[in-house]
Amino acid sequence: MAIEINEKTSMDFTGFNLMVSSVMGQMRRAIIGKESLIMDIFTALLAEGNILLEGVPGVAKTTVAKAFATTMGLDFKRIQFVPDILPSDITGSSIFDQKSGEFRVRRGPIFTNILLVDEINRASPKIQSALLEAMEEKQVSIDGVSYPLQEPFMVIATQNPIDITGTFTLPEAQVDRFMFKINLEYPREDEELAILKLKNLGSADIVEKALDKEKVKAMIDMVKSVYVDVKVMEYIKGLVLASRKHEKLLLGGSPRASISLLKASKAVAALNGRGYVTPDDIKQLAPKVFNHRLILKPEYEQEGVRPQDIVEDLLSTVKVPY
């Protein structure tokens, strides 16, 4: 599909690209490999989305999140989900101040820029749902009063595979609020050795601030101005509608999937130095946006069909509108 290059699409991304390069340079000091993951987190932040990381323990999920927040110059807090955690441990609560004789709000760790929820599926679905309002509306309610969260705000949640002892499946309503779900694998052999060398030097996990909140906000605003042709939007619509009609699926993509794909594609275009979205951006992002939203019919799941197989089918059958 040809996209007309004009004043809408020919934006100057020189400063934007310099900031991206600065962030990636710092991340490489502490993280071996994982560049695709770092860019996915970057994309989700600029698109004002949330991200779910799944993988076995010890594959640097927490390390990447913490280093990324430090490099971006953003406030960072971490919550370890355990079975006996309470919603107030996340959002905060009202407590009575005996000196003043009044109630005051004790704000929970959710009042930050980047919130790392470690092992989100270790807590019950009731506790997991405490994040829903924050993830969607960027606010939390404490005793009936709504409080806005900091800008920017993003949840990075990690989870172990659900066949590991002591885990709970996330409710569909919460899973749908994650822009991406990324599955992490063990590092390659050469990366494993490089990790050991880095740790042996004692310099691992040391990164410096490359940006600050105001620069990050400016990058987010620039992403919002990226041009999306109506035919690209029709392509997104076609993929989502085709997923809802797919014979092997009980549940296809929601309207939130369409919006996530649109917003993430604008961030990817900007990260690639473009002021416009292309169909290739959509194809690159579709597996990450769809893979946790598609629910297979039981008979196909038993046959070993995977959501990613359905996404590949959608990308091969849905044509780009001309």
Side-chain angles (χ1 to χ4, degrees):
M1 180 183 71
I3 296 177
E4 182 181 354
I5 306 299
N6 52 39
E7 65 276 5
K8 289 184 179 180
T9 61
S10 56
M11 298 165 58
D12 184 6
F13 279 87
T14 303
F16 190 99
N17 292 339
L18 288 174
M19 288 188 282
V20 173
S21 297
S22 179
V23 169
M24 295 304 294
Q26 286 296 323
M27 292 297 291
R28 292 187 187 104
R29 295 177 58 184
I31 307 298
I32 301 298
K34 300 284 190 291
E35 294 212 4
S36 175
L37 169 62
I38 296 167
M39 291 303 291
D40 287 336
I41 296 175
F42 213 155
T43 300
L45 176 66
L46 296 181
E48 299 180 291
N50 307 290
I51 190 166
L52 177 62
L53 308 179
E54 181 173 287
V56 297
V59 290
K61 300 186 293 293
T62 302
T63 302
V64 170
K66 186 175 181 180
F68 181 76
T70 300
T71 304
M72 299 296 286
L74 299 175
D75 294 338
F76 172 84
K77 289 181 182 176
R78 174 182 176 272
I79 305 174
Q80 177 68 49
F81 268 22
V82 291
D84 60 351
I85 195 172
L86 299 173
S88 59
D89 294 328
I90 303 167
T91 60
S93 60
S94 294
I95 59 175
F96 184 71
D97 189 331
Q98 293 184 342
K99 290 184 178 180
S100 65
E102 297 177 348
F103 284 92
R104 62 182 179 84
V105 174
R106 177 191 62 83
R107 298 194 172 199
I110 203 166
F111 289 91
T112 187
N113 295 124
I114 295 183
L115 177 68
L116 175 64
V117 180
D118 231 343
E119 298 185 302
I120 188 173
N121 57 338
R122 289 287 182 189
S124 68
K126 177 182 178 181
I127 304 305
Q128 295 164 5
S129 65
L131 293 170
L132 292 180
E133 183 182 13
M135 292 171 66
E136 186 66 18
E137 301 174 36
K138 312 301 183 186
Q139 66 177 31
V140 295
S141 297
I142 302 174
D143 292 339
V145 180
S146 296
Y147 298 89
L149 298 173
Q150 294 187 42
E151 294 182 0
F153 174 77
M154 178 174 67
V155 172
I156 302 176
T158 73
Q159 72 171 7
N160 297 325
I162 60 173
D163 57 347
I164 289 181
T165 303
T167 58
F168 299 84
T169 303
L170 269 64
E172 287 80 1
Q174 181 160 10
V175 170
D176 195 46
R177 281 170 169 77
F178 287 103
M179 178 171 281
F180 299 152
K181 177 186 174 186
I182 309 298
N183 295 312
L184 300 183
E185 305 292 340
Y186 286 118
R188 302 191 310 265
E189 288 186 22
D190 59 323
E191 292 175 342
E192 194 89 37
L193 180 59
I195 291 169
L196 293 174
K197 289 180 178 178
L198 186 64
K199 291 291 184 181
N200 188 51
L201 292 173
S203 58
D205 305 335
I206 299 176
V207 295
E208 297 177 359
K209 184 172 77 170
L211 303 179
D212 57 39
K213 291 182 185 179
E214 294 309 313
K215 288 180 180 178
V216 174
K217 289 179 183 179
M219 294 177 80
I220 292 172
D221 288 339
M222 197 166 185
V223 164
K224 291 177 180 177
S225 65
V226 169
Y227 176 74
V228 185
D229 192 90
V230 67
K231 292 190 180 296
V232 174
M233 296 185 198
E234 290 175 1
Y235 184 44
I236 295 173
K237 180 197 73 174
L239 289 170
V240 173
L241 292 181
S243 73
R244 297 175 192 169
K245 300 174 183 177
H246 201 284
E247 63 178 3
K248 296 181 180 179
L249 293 179
L250 279 174
L251 188 67
S254 66
R256 192 180 283 117
S258 301
I259 296 168
S260 293
L261 195 48
L262 173 68
K263 294 173 71 174
S265 67
K266 295 173 74 170
V268 163
L271 288 168
N272 287 320
R274 280 184 281 105
Y276 58 91
V277 174
T278 70
D280 285 340
D281 296 327
I282 306 302
K283 293 177 181 178
Q284 172 190 339
L285 291 165
K288 301 166 187 176
V289 171
F290 280 122
N291 65 2
H292 55 299
R293 293 182 163 98
L294 305 182
I295 298 180
L296 291 157
K297 292 179 179 178
E299 59 269 29
Y300 292 106
E301 191 171 13
Q302 291 174 2
E303 292 177 5
V305 178
R306 304 168 302 167
Q308 50 264 48
D309 298 326
I310 305 299
V311 177
E312 291 176 6
D313 186 36
L314 294 172
L315 292 173
S316 65
T317 55
V318 177
K319 295 183 178 179
V320 179
Y322 286 90

